[in-house]
Structure formats: C-alpha cells, structure tokens
Amino acid sequence: MKRSIPILMLIIIVAVVLILAGIKLYSINFQSDSNKEASHEMRGNIIKADSQFITVEGSAISSKPGSNYEETKTIKFKIKPETILKNKVLILNPGKLKPGETYTPRTEEKPGVLSDLVIGAWIISIKSKENLFKTNNAAAQEVNYVSYDSSN
C-alpha cells in the first residue's frame, strides 16, 4: 500500500505539469494570434488590368511600426472613382555620358490617370483599408505608380 502512494503522487505531478504546459502553450498561441501584424499597403507590378480592377503581384508590407515583415501576394484591387492616383514621372534624358558617370533621372509628381494602370506598370504603393495579409481582393484608396518620359 505504501508503494502505491508514491506512484499515485507521481501520476498527479505529471498530470499537473502537463496541464500547466498545455495552458502555457494555449496562452502563447492566443497572444500571438491577437498580436498578428496587419498590412494596408502593397508594392509590386500590375499583372492584369481592366477598367475597374488591377491585379498586383508583389509584397504586402506590415503596418506595424518598426516591422520589416512582408508577404508575397497577388491581390485584385477595385479602382473606385474616389481612389487617389499619383504618378511619379521619371524623366529620362541622359544625353551624352562620359565613361564612369552615373545618371540620375529627374522626377516629377503628377496626378495619375487610370489609363496609365496597365500590365507591367510599377506600383510604388497601393493602399487599402482591408488587411492585405488576409485577403486577395480589396478596394484601393490610393495608388502611387511610376511612369517614364523620354521625350526630352
């Protein structure tokens, strides 16, 4: 009878330790789920475009300050009449460069136009209210893109 008490105590201790470990693991998972990062901005290239939607392939960027987390995504964005379009124009006019010289194009900020949002266009940033880490479809609030001007 005296031998069964230590075995019973050992079983109780192991059960308590397992229960406490389970509670700790559950709380860690719960905390990490509640602290997951969100993304409301993306950058990349347009891979599909029509009159109301653009599909962008690139990186969704964490909105958490100080975070460098990005996630590769393909997201279809609805372009609404209230979507703000901004065009960063790179003016390409290198003229005659001497060997070893580098060329830095001038840039101009202009209001964007929907017809510029074509396949292959480079999106500097596209912003949305939706969490882009959790969706593949979103409404665009603002689209910042690059175009080139080599006419000068």
Side-chain angles (χ1 to χ4, degrees), residues 30-118:
F30 180 77
Q31 288 174 349
S32 66
D33 283 345
S34 65
N35 292 329
K36 289 229 190 253
E37 297 182 30
S39 171
H40 299 284
E41 184 176 355
M42 182 175 186
R43 64 174 169 249
N45 292 310
I46 297 176
I47 60 169
K48 189 174 180 185
D50 63 36
S51 62
Q52 294 182 353
F53 295 93
I54 59 172
T55 302
V56 177
E57 184 176 69
S59 297
I61 305 160
S62 174
S63 299
K64 186 176 179 181
S67 174
N68 293 324
Y69 182 71
E70 296 181 3
E71 195 172 298
T72 301
K73 300 274 295 186
T74 299
I75 300 177
K76 183 177 182 179
F77 289 94
K78 178 155 181 66
I79 306 298
K80 296 181 174 185
E82 60 270 17
T83 300
I84 299 167
L85 303 177
K86 295 181 180 180
N87 182 4
K88 183 171 192 169
V89 182
L90 297 180
I91 301 166
L92 306 174
N93 189 9
K96 292 186 179 183
L97 290 177
K98 295 177 185 172
E101 283 185 330
T102 58
Y103 172 71
T104 303
R106 280 191 358 230
T107 61
E108 290 181 8
E109 302 283 333
K110 293 185 175 181
V113 293
L114 189 57
S115 61
D116 285 345
L117 301 180
V118 296

Coordinates of all heavy atoms in Angstrom, one line a residue, residues 30-118:
F30 N -2.6 32.1 -28.2 CA -3.6 33.1 -28.1 C -3.0 34.5 -28.3 O -3.5 35.4 -29.0 CB -4.4 33.0 -26.8 CG -5.5 34.0 -26.7 CD1 -6.7 33.9 -27.4 CD2 -5.4 35.2 -25.9 CE1 -7.7 34.8 -27.4 CE2 -6.4 36.1 -25.8 CZ -7.5 35.9 -26.6
Q31 N -1.9 34.8 -27.5 CA -1.3 36.1 -27.6 C -0.8 36.4 -29.0 O -0.9 37.4 -29.5 CB -0.1 36.2 -26.6 CG -0.6 36.2 -25.2 CD 0.5 36.2 -24.2 OE1 1.7 35.9 -24.5 NE2 0.2 36.4 -22.9
S32 N -0.1 35.4 -29.6 CA 0.4 35.6 -31.0 C -0.7 35.9 -32.0 O -0.5 36.7 -32.9 CB 1.4 34.5 -31.4 OG 0.6 33.3 -31.6
D33 N -1.8 35.2 -31.8 CA -2.9 35.5 -32.7 C -3.5 36.9 -32.6 O -3.8 37.5 -33.5 CB -4.1 34.5 -32.5 CG -3.7 33.1 -33.1 OD1 -2.8 33.0 -33.9 OD2 -4.4 32.1 -32.7
S34 N -3.5 37.4 -31.3 CA -4.1 38.7 -31.1 C -3.1 39.8 -31.5 O -3.5 40.9 -31.7 CB -4.4 38.8 -29.6 OG -3.3 38.8 -28.8
N35 N -1.8 39.4 -31.6 CA -0.8 40.4 -32.0 C -0.3 40.3 -33.4 O 0.7 40.9 -33.8 CB 0.5 40.3 -31.1 CG 0.1 40.7 -29.6 OD1 -0.7 41.6 -29.4 ND2 0.8 40.1 -28.7
K36 N -1.0 39.6 -34.2 CA -0.6 39.4 -35.6 C -0.6 40.7 -36.3 O -1.4 41.6 -36.1 CB -1.6 38.5 -36.4 CG -1.4 37.0 -36.0 CD -1.3 36.2 -37.2 CE -1.5 34.7 -36.7 NZ -0.3 33.9 -36.7
E37 N 0.4 40.8 -37.2 CA 0.5 42.1 -38.0 C -0.5 42.2 -39.1 O -1.0 41.2 -39.5 CB 2.0 42.1 -38.6 CG 3.0 42.1 -37.5 CD 4.4 42.2 -38.0 OE1 4.6 42.8 -39.1 OE2 5.3 41.7 -37.3
A38 N -0.8 43.4 -39.4 CA -1.7 43.7 -40.5 C -1.0 44.5 -41.6 O 0.1 45.0 -41.4 CB -2.9 44.6 -40.0
S39 N -1.5 44.5 -42.8 CA -1.0 45.2 -43.9 C -2.1 46.0 -44.6 O -3.1 45.5 -44.9 CB -0.3 44.2 -44.9 OG 0.0 44.9 -46.1
H40 N -1.8 47.3 -44.8 CA -2.7 48.1 -45.6 C -2.0 48.8 -46.8 O -2.5 49.7 -47.3 CB -3.3 49.2 -44.6 CG -4.1 48.6 -43.5 ND1 -5.3 48.0 -43.7 CD2 -3.7 48.3 -42.2 CE1 -5.7 47.5 -42.5 NE2 -4.7 47.7 -41.6
E41 N -0.8 48.2 -47.1 CA -0.1 48.8 -48.2 C 0.7 47.7 -48.9 O 1.1 46.7 -48.3 CB 0.9 49.8 -47.7 CG 1.7 50.5 -48.8 CD 2.6 51.6 -48.2 OE1 2.6 51.9 -47.0 OE2 3.4 52.2 -49.0
M42 N 0.8 47.8 -50.3 CA 1.5 46.8 -51.1 C 2.3 47.5 -52.1 O 2.0 48.7 -52.5 CB 0.4 45.9 -51.7 CG 1.0 44.8 -52.6 SD -0.4 43.7 -53.1 CE 0.6 42.5 -53.9
R43 N 3.3 46.9 -52.6 CA 4.1 47.4 -53.8 C 4.3 46.2 -54.7 O 4.3 45.0 -54.3 CB 5.4 48.0 -53.4 CG 6.4 47.0 -52.7 CD 7.7 47.7 -52.4 NE 8.5 46.8 -51.6 CZ 8.8 47.0 -50.4 NH1 8.4 48.1 -49.7 NH2 9.5 46.1 -49.7
G44 N 4.5 46.5 -56.0 CA 4.7 45.4 -57.0 C 4.4 45.8 -58.4 O 4.5 47.0 -58.7
N45 N 4.0 44.9 -59.2 CA 3.7 45.2 -60.6 C 2.3 44.7 -61.0 O 1.8 43.8 -60.4 CB 4.7 44.4 -61.5 CG 6.1 44.9 -61.4 OD1 6.3 46.1 -61.5 ND2 7.0 44.0 -61.2
I46 N 1.7 45.5 -61.9 CA 0.4 45.1 -62.4 C 0.5 43.9 -63.3 O 1.3 44.0 -64.3 CB -0.3 46.3 -63.1 CG1 -0.5 47.4 -62.1 CG2 -1.6 45.9 -63.7 CD1 -1.1 48.7 -62.7
I47 N -0.2 42.9 -63.1 CA -0.2 41.7 -63.9 C -1.5 41.5 -64.7 O -1.5 40.7 -65.7 CB 0.2 40.4 -63.2 CG1 -0.9 40.1 -62.1 CG2 1.6 40.5 -62.6 CD1 -0.8 38.7 -61.5
K48 N -2.5 42.3 -64.3 CA -3.8 42.2 -65.0 C -4.5 43.6 -64.8 O -4.4 44.1 -63.7 CB -4.7 41.1 -64.5 CG -5.9 40.8 -65.4 CD -6.6 39.6 -64.9 CE -7.9 39.3 -65.7 NZ -8.6 38.2 -65.2
A49 N -5.1 44.1 -65.8 CA -5.8 45.4 -65.7 C -7.0 45.4 -66.6 O -7.0 44.9 -67.7 CB -4.8 46.5 -66.0
D50 N -8.1 46.1 -66.1 CA -9.3 46.4 -66.9 C -9.8 47.7 -66.4 O -9.1 48.4 -65.6 CB -10.3 45.3 -66.9 CG -10.9 45.0 -65.5 OD1 -11.1 45.9 -64.7 OD2 -11.2 43.8 -65.3
S51 N -11.0 48.1 -66.7 CA -11.5 49.5 -66.4 C -11.8 49.7 -65.0 O -11.8 50.8 -64.5 CB -12.7 49.8 -67.3 OG -13.7 48.8 -66.9
Q52 N -12.0 48.6 -64.2 CA -12.4 48.8 -62.8 C -11.4 48.1 -61.8 O -11.5 48.4 -60.6 CB -13.8 48.3 -62.5 CG -14.8 49.1 -63.2 CD -16.2 48.6 -62.9 OE1 -16.4 47.6 -62.2 NE2 -17.2 49.3 -63.4
F53 N -10.6 47.2 -62.3 CA -9.7 46.4 -61.4 C -8.3 46.4 -61.9 O -8.1 46.4 -63.1 CB -10.2 45.0 -61.3 CG -11.6 44.9 -60.7 CD1 -12.7 44.8 -61.4 CD2 -11.7 44.7 -59.3 CE1 -14.0 44.7 -60.9 CE2 -12.9 44.6 -58.7 CZ -14.1 44.6 -59.5
I54 N -7.3 46.3 -61.0 CA -6.0 45.9 -61.3 C -5.5 44.8 -60.4 O -5.9 44.8 -59.2 CB -5.0 47.1 -61.2 CG1 -4.9 47.7 -59.8 CG2 -5.3 48.2 -62.3 CD1 -3.8 48.7 -59.6
T55 N -4.8 43.9 -60.9 CA -4.3 42.8 -60.1 C -2.8 43.1 -60.0 O -2.1 43.2 -61.0 CB -4.5 41.4 -60.7 OG1 -5.9 41.3 -60.9 CG2 -4.0 40.3 -59.9
V56 N -2.3 43.1 -58.7 CA -0.9 43.5 -58.4 C -0.3 42.3 -57.8 O -0.8 41.6 -56.9 CB -0.8 44.7 -57.5 CG1 0.6 45.0 -57.1 CG2 -1.5 45.9 -58.1
E57 N 0.9 41.9 -58.3 CA 1.8 40.9 -57.7 C 3.0 41.6 -57.1 O 3.6 42.4 -57.7 CB 2.2 39.9 -58.8 CG 3.0 38.7 -58.4 CD 3.3 37.8 -59.5 OE1 4.1 38.2 -60.4 OE2 2.7 36.7 -59.5
G58 N 3.2 41.3 -55.8 CA 4.3 41.9 -55.1 C 4.3 41.6 -53.7 O 4.0 40.5 -53.3
S59 N 4.7 42.6 -52.9 CA 4.8 42.4 -51.4 C 3.8 43.3 -50.6 O 3.8 44.5 -50.8 CB 6.2 42.8 -51.0 OG 7.2 42.0 -51.6
A60 N 3.0 42.6 -49.8 CA 2.2 43.3 -48.8 C 3.1 43.6 -47.6 O 3.9 42.8 -47.2 CB 1.0 42.4 -48.4
I61 N 3.1 44.9 -47.2 CA 4.0 45.4 -46.2 C 3.3 45.6 -44.9 O 2.2 46.1 -44.8 CB 4.6 46.7 -46.7 CG1 5.2 46.6 -48.1 CG2 5.6 47.3 -45.7 CD1 5.3 47.9 -48.8
S62 N 4.0 45.1 -43.8 CA 3.4 45.2 -42.5 C 3.1 46.7 -42.1 O 3.9 47.6 -42.4 CB 4.3 44.6 -41.4 OG 3.8 44.9 -40.1
S63 N 2.0 47.0 -41.5 CA 1.7 48.3 -41.0 C 2.2 48.6 -39.6 O 2.1 49.7 -39.1 CB 0.1 48.5 -41.0 OG -0.4 48.3 -42.3
K64 N 2.8 47.5 -39.0 CA 3.3 47.7 -37.6 C 4.6 48.5 -37.6 O 5.5 48.1 -38.3 CB 3.5 46.3 -37.0 CG 3.9 46.3 -35.6 CD 4.1 44.8 -35.1 CE 4.5 44.8 -33.6 NZ 4.6 43.4 -33.2
P65 N 4.6 49.6 -36.8 CA 5.8 50.4 -36.8 C 7.0 49.6 -36.4 O 7.0 48.8 -35.5 CB 5.5 51.5 -35.8 CG 4.0 51.5 -35.7 CD 3.5 50.1 -36.0
G66 N 8.1 49.8 -37.1 CA 9.4 49.1 -36.8 C 9.5 47.7 -37.4 O 10.5 47.1 -37.3
S67 N 8.4 47.2 -38.0 CA 8.4 45.8 -38.5 C 8.9 45.9 -40.0 O 8.6 46.7 -40.7 CB 7.0 45.2 -38.5 OG 7.1 43.9 -39.1
N68 N 9.7 44.9 -40.3 CA 10.2 44.7 -41.7 C 9.4 43.5 -42.4 O 9.8 43.1 -43.5 CB 11.7 44.4 -41.8 CG 12.5 45.6 -41.3 OD1 12.1 46.8 -41.6 ND2 13.5 45.4 -40.6
Y69 N 8.4 43.0 -41.8 CA 7.7 41.8 -42.3 C 7.0 42.2 -43.6 O 6.3 43.2 -43.7 CB 6.7 41.3 -41.3 CG 6.0 40.0 -41.7 CD1 6.7 38.8 -41.9 CD2 4.7 40.1 -42.1 CE1 6.1 37.7 -42.3 CE2 4.1 38.9 -42.6 CZ 4.8 37.7 -42.7 OH 4.2 36.6 -43.1
E70 N 7.2 41.3 -44.6 CA 6.5 41.5 -45.9 C 6.0 40.1 -46.3 O 6.5 39.1 -45.8 CB 7.4 41.9 -47.0 CG 7.9 43.3 -46.8 CD 8.9 43.8 -47.9 OE1 9.0 43.0 -48.9 OE2 9.4 44.9 -47.8
E71 N 4.9 40.0 -47.1 CA 4.4 38.8 -47.5 C 4.1 38.9 -49.0 O 3.5 39.8 -49.5 CB 3.1 38.5 -46.8 CG 2.6 37.1 -46.9 CD 1.4 36.8 -45.9 OE1 1.6 37.0 -44.7 OE2 0.4 36.5 -46.5
T72 N 4.7 37.9 -49.8 CA 4.4 37.9 -51.2 C 3.0 37.5 -51.5 O 2.5 36.5 -51.0 CB 5.4 36.9 -51.9 OG1 6.7 37.3 -51.6 CG2 5.2 36.9 -53.4
K73 N 2.3 38.4 -52.3 CA 0.9 38.2 -52.5 C 0.5 38.6 -54.0 O 1.2 39.4 -54.6 CB 0.0 39.1 -51.6 CG 0.2 38.9 -50.1 CD -0.7 37.8 -49.6 CE -2.2 38.2 -49.7 NZ -3.1 37.3 -49.0
T74 N -0.6 38.1 -54.4 CA -1.3 38.6 -55.6 C -2.7 39.1 -55.2 O -3.4 38.2 -54.7 CB -1.3 37.5 -56.7 OG1 0.0 37.1 -57.0 CG2 -2.0 38.0 -58.0
I75 N -3.0 40.3 -55.4 CA -4.2 40.9 -54.9 C -4.9 41.7 -56.0 O -4.3 42.4 -56.8 CB -4.0 41.8 -53.7 CG1 -3.4 41.0 -52.5 CG2 -5.3 42.5 -53.2 CD1 -3.1 41.8 -51.3
K76 N -6.2 41.4 -56.2 CA -7.1 42.2 -57.1 C -7.7 43.4 -56.4 O -8.4 43.2 -55.4 CB -8.2 41.2 -57.6 CG -9.0 41.9 -58.7 CD -10.1 40.8 -59.2 CE -10.9 41.4 -60.3 NZ -11.9 40.4 -60.8
F77 N -7.3 44.6 -56.9 CA -7.8 45.8 -56.3 C -8.9 46.4 -57.2 O -8.7 46.5 -58.4 CB -6.7 46.8 -56.2 CG -5.7 46.5 -55.1 CD1 -4.5 45.8 -55.5 CD2 -5.9 46.8 -53.8 CE1 -3.6 45.4 -54.5 CE2 -4.9 46.5 -52.8 CZ -3.8 45.8 -53.2
K78 N -10.0 46.9 -56.5 CA -11.0 47.6 -57.2 C -10.6 49.1 -57.2 O -10.2 49.6 -56.2 CB -12.4 47.5 -56.5 CG -13.5 48.3 -57.2 CD -14.8 47.7 -56.9 CE -15.9 48.5 -57.6 NZ -15.9 48.4 -59.0
I79 N -10.7 49.7 -58.4 CA -10.4 51.1 -58.5 C -11.7 51.8 -58.6 O -12.5 51.7 -59.5 CB -9.5 51.4 -59.8 CG1 -8.3 50.5 -59.9 CG2 -9.2 52.9 -59.9 CD1 -7.3 50.8 -58.7
K80 N -12.0 52.6 -57.6 CA -13.2 53.3 -57.5 C -13.0 54.8 -57.9 O -11.9 55.3 -58.0 CB -13.7 53.3 -56.0 CG -14.0 52.0 -55.5 CD -14.5 52.0 -54.0 CE -15.0 50.7 -53.5 NZ -15.6 50.8 -52.2
P81 N -14.1 55.5 -58.2 CA -14.0 56.9 -58.6 C -13.2 57.8 -57.5 O -12.5 58.7 -57.9 CB -15.4 57.4 -58.8 CG -16.2 56.2 -59.1 CD -15.5 55.1 -58.3
E82 N -13.3 57.4 -56.3 CA -12.7 58.2 -55.2 C -11.2 57.7 -54.9 O -10.5 58.3 -54.1 CB -13.5 58.1 -53.9 CG -13.7 56.7 -53.3 CD -15.0 56.1 -53.8 OE1 -15.6 56.5 -54.8 OE2 -15.4 55.1 -53.2
T83 N -10.8 56.7 -55.6 CA -9.4 56.2 -55.5 C -8.4 57.3 -56.0 O -8.6 57.9 -57.0 CB -9.1 54.9 -56.3 OG1 -10.0 53.9 -55.8 CG2 -7.7 54.5 -56.1
I84 N -7.5 57.7 -55.1 CA -6.5 58.7 -55.5 C -5.4 58.1 -56.3 O -4.8 57.1 -55.9 CB -5.9 59.4 -54.2 CG1 -7.0 60.0 -53.4 CG2 -4.8 60.3 -54.5 CD1 -6.6 60.4 -52.0
L85 N -5.1 58.7 -57.5 CA -4.0 58.2 -58.3 C -2.9 59.2 -58.3 O -3.1 60.4 -58.6 CB -4.5 57.9 -59.7 CG -5.7 56.9 -59.9 CD1 -6.1 56.8 -61.3 CD2 -5.3 55.6 -59.4
K86 N -1.6 58.7 -58.0 CA -0.5 59.6 -58.0 C 0.6 59.0 -58.9 O 0.9 57.8 -58.8 CB 0.1 59.8 -56.6 CG -0.9 60.5 -55.7 CD -0.2 60.7 -54.3 CE -1.1 61.4 -53.3 NZ -0.5 61.5 -52.0
N87 N 1.1 59.9 -59.8 CA 2.1 59.4 -60.8 C 3.5 60.0 -60.5 O 3.6 61.3 -60.5 CB 1.6 59.8 -62.2 CG 2.5 59.3 -63.3 OD1 3.5 58.7 -63.1 ND2 2.2 59.7 -64.5
K88 N 4.5 59.2 -60.3 CA 5.9 59.7 -60.2 C 6.5 59.5 -61.5 O 6.7 58.4 -62.0 CB 6.6 59.0 -59.1 CG 8.0 59.5 -58.9 CD 8.7 58.9 -57.7 CE 9.9 59.7 -57.3 NZ 10.4 59.3 -56.0
V89 N 6.8 60.6 -62.3 CA 7.3 60.5 -63.6 C 8.8 60.6 -63.5 O 9.4 61.5 -62.9 CB 6.8 61.7 -64.5 CG1 7.3 61.5 -65.9 CG2 5.3 61.7 -64.5
L90 N 9.5 59.6 -64.1 CA 11.0 59.6 -64.2 C 11.3 60.2 -65.6 O 10.9 59.6 -66.6 CB 11.6 58.2 -64.0 CG 11.3 57.5 -62.7 CD1 12.0 56.2 -62.7 CD2 11.9 58.4 -61.6
I91 N 12.0 61.3 -65.6 CA 12.3 62.0 -66.9 C 13.7 61.5 -67.3 O 14.7 61.8 -66.7 CB 12.3 63.5 -66.7 CG1 10.8 63.9 -66.3 CG2 12.7 64.2 -68.0 CD1 10.7 65.3 -65.8
L92 N 13.7 60.7 -68.4 CA 14.9 60.0 -68.9 C 15.5 60.9 -70.0 O 15.0 60.9 -71.1 CB 14.6 58.6 -69.3 CG 13.9 57.7 -68.3 CD1 13.5 56.4 -69.0 CD2 14.7 57.5 -67.1
N93 N 16.6 61.5 -69.7 CA 17.3 62.3 -70.7 C 18.8 62.3 -70.3 O 19.3 63.4 -70.0 CB 16.7 63.7 -70.8 CG 17.3 64.5 -72.0 OD1 18.0 64.0 -72.8 ND2 17.0 65.8 -72.0
P94 N 19.5 61.2 -70.5 CA 20.9 61.1 -70.0 C 21.8 61.9 -70.9 O 22.9 62.2 -70.5 CB 21.2 59.7 -70.1 CG 20.3 59.1 -71.1 CD 19.0 59.9 -71.0
G95 N 21.4 62.3 -72.1 CA 22.4 63.0 -73.0 C 23.6 62.1 -73.3 O 23.5 60.9 -73.4
K96 N 24.7 62.8 -73.3 CA 26.0 62.0 -73.6 C 26.7 61.9 -72.2 O 27.2 62.9 -71.6 CB 26.9 62.7 -74.6 CG 26.3 62.7 -76.0 CD 27.2 63.3 -77.0 CE 26.6 63.3 -78.3 NZ 27.4 63.8 -79.4
L97 N 26.8 60.7 -71.8 CA 27.5 60.4 -70.5 C 28.9 60.0 -70.8 O 29.2 59.3 -71.8 CB 26.8 59.3 -69.7 CG 25.5 59.5 -69.1 CD1 24.9 58.3 -68.5 CD2 25.6 60.7 -68.1
K98 N 29.9 60.5 -70.0 CA 31.2 60.0 -70.1 C 31.4 58.7 -69.4 O 30.6 58.4 -68.5 CB 32.2 61.1 -69.5 CG 32.1 62.4 -70.3 CD 33.0 63.5 -69.6 CE 32.8 64.8 -70.3 NZ 33.4 65.9 -69.6
P99 N 32.4 57.9 -69.8 CA 32.6 56.6 -69.1 C 32.7 56.8 -67.6 O 33.5 57.7 -67.2 CB 33.9 56.1 -69.8 CG 33.9 56.7 -71.1 CD 33.3 58.1 -70.9
G100 N 32.0 56.0 -66.8 CA 32.1 56.1 -65.4 C 31.1 57.0 -64.7 O 31.0 57.0 -63.5
E101 N 30.5 57.9 -65.5 CA 29.5 58.8 -65.0 C 28.2 58.0 -64.7 O 27.9 57.1 -65.5 CB 29.2 59.9 -65.9 CG 30.2 61.0 -66.0 CD 29.8 62.2 -66.8 OE1 29.1 62.0 -67.8 OE2 30.2 63.3 -66.5
T102 N 27.5 58.4 -63.7 CA 26.1 57.9 -63.5 C 25.1 58.9 -63.8 O 25.3 60.1 -63.8 CB 26.0 57.4 -62.0 OG1 26.2 58.6 -61.2 CG2 27.0 56.3 -61.7
Y103 N 23.9 58.4 -64.1 CA 22.8 59.3 -64.5 C 21.7 59.1 -63.5 O 21.3 58.0 -63.2 CB 22.3 58.9 -65.9 CG 21.1 59.7 -66.3 CD1 21.1 61.0 -66.5 CD2 19.8 59.0 -66.3 CE1 19.9 61.7 -66.8 CE2 18.7 59.7 -66.6 CZ 18.7 61.1 -66.9 OH 17.6 61.7 -67.2
T104 N 21.2 60.2 -63.0 CA 20.1 60.1 -62.1 C 18.9 60.9 -62.8 O 19.1 62.1 -63.0 CB 20.4 60.8 -60.7 OG1 21.5 60.1 -60.2 CG2 19.2 60.7 -59.8
P105 N 17.8 60.2 -63.1 CA 16.8 60.9 -63.8 C 16.1 62.0 -62.9 O 16.0 61.8 -61.6 CB 15.8 59.8 -64.2 CG 16.1 58.7 -63.3 CD 17.5 58.8 -62.9
R106 N 15.6 63.0 -63.5 CA 14.7 64.0 -62.7 C 13.4 63.3 -62.5 O 13.0 62.4 -63.2 CB 14.5 65.2 -63.6 CG 15.6 66.2 -63.6 CD 15.2 67.5 -64.2 NE 13.8 67.5 -64.7 CZ 13.4 67.9 -66.0 NH1 14.3 68.3 -66.8 NH2 12.2 67.8 -66.3
T107 N 12.7 63.7 -61.4 CA 11.4 63.2 -61.2 C 10.4 64.3 -61.0 O 10.8 65.4 -60.6 CB 11.4 62.3 -59.9 OG1 11.8 63.1 -58.8 CG2 12.3 61.1 -60.0
E108 N 9.2 64.0 -61.4 CA 8.0 65.0 -61.2 C 6.9 64.2 -60.6 O 6.6 63.1 -61.0 CB 7.6 65.6 -62.5 CG 8.6 66.6 -63.1 CD 8.1 67.2 -64.4 OE1 6.9 66.9 -64.8 OE2 8.8 67.9 -65.1
E109 N 6.2 64.8 -59.7 CA 4.9 64.2 -59.1 C 3.8 64.8 -59.9 O 3.7 66.1 -60.0 CB 4.8 64.5 -57.7 CG 5.9 64.1 -56.8 CD 5.9 62.6 -56.5 OE1 4.8 62.0 -56.5 OE2 6.9 62.0 -56.3
K110 N 2.9 64.0 -60.5 CA 1.7 64.4 -61.2 C 0.5 63.7 -60.7 O 0.6 62.5 -60.3 CB 1.9 64.2 -62.7 CG 3.0 65.0 -63.3 CD 3.0 64.8 -64.8 CE 4.1 65.7 -65.5 NZ 4.1 65.5 -66.9
P111 N -0.7 64.2 -61.0 CA -1.9 63.4 -60.7 C -1.9 62.3 -61.7 O -1.5 62.4 -62.8 CB -3.0 64.4 -61.0 CG -2.4 65.8 -61.0 CD -1.0 65.6 -61.4
G112 N -2.3 61.1 -61.2 CA -2.4 59.9 -62.0 C -3.6 59.9 -62.9 O -4.6 60.6 -62.6
V113 N -3.6 59.0 -63.9 CA -4.7 58.8 -64.7 C -4.9 57.2 -64.8 O -4.0 56.5 -64.9 CB -4.6 59.4 -66.1 CG1 -4.6 60.9 -66.0 CG2 -3.4 58.9 -66.8
L114 N -6.2 56.8 -64.9 CA -6.5 55.4 -64.9 C -5.9 54.7 -66.1 O -5.4 53.5 -66.0 CB -8.0 55.2 -64.9 CG -8.6 53.8 -64.7 CD1 -8.1 53.2 -63.4 CD2 -10.1 53.9 -64.7
S115 N -5.7 55.4 -67.2 CA -5.2 54.7 -68.4 C -3.7 54.3 -68.3 O -3.2 53.5 -69.0 CB -5.4 55.6 -69.7 OG -4.7 56.8 -69.5
D116 N -3.0 54.9 -67.3 CA -1.6 54.5 -67.0 C -1.5 53.2 -66.3 O -0.4 52.6 -66.3 CB -0.9 55.6 -66.1 CG -0.6 56.8 -66.9 OD1 -0.6 56.9 -68.1 OD2 -0.3 57.8 -66.2
L117 N -2.6 52.7 -65.7 CA -2.5 51.5 -64.9 C -2.7 50.3 -65.8 O -3.8 49.7 -66.0 CB -3.6 51.5 -63.8 CG -3.5 52.6 -62.8 CD1 -4.5 52.6 -61.8 CD2 -2.1 52.7 -62.2
V118 N -1.6 49.9 -66.5 CA -1.6 48.8 -67.5 C -0.7 47.7 -67.0 O 0.1 47.9 -66.1 CB -1.1 49.3 -68.8 CG1 -2.1 50.4 -69.4 CG2 0.3 49.9 -68.8

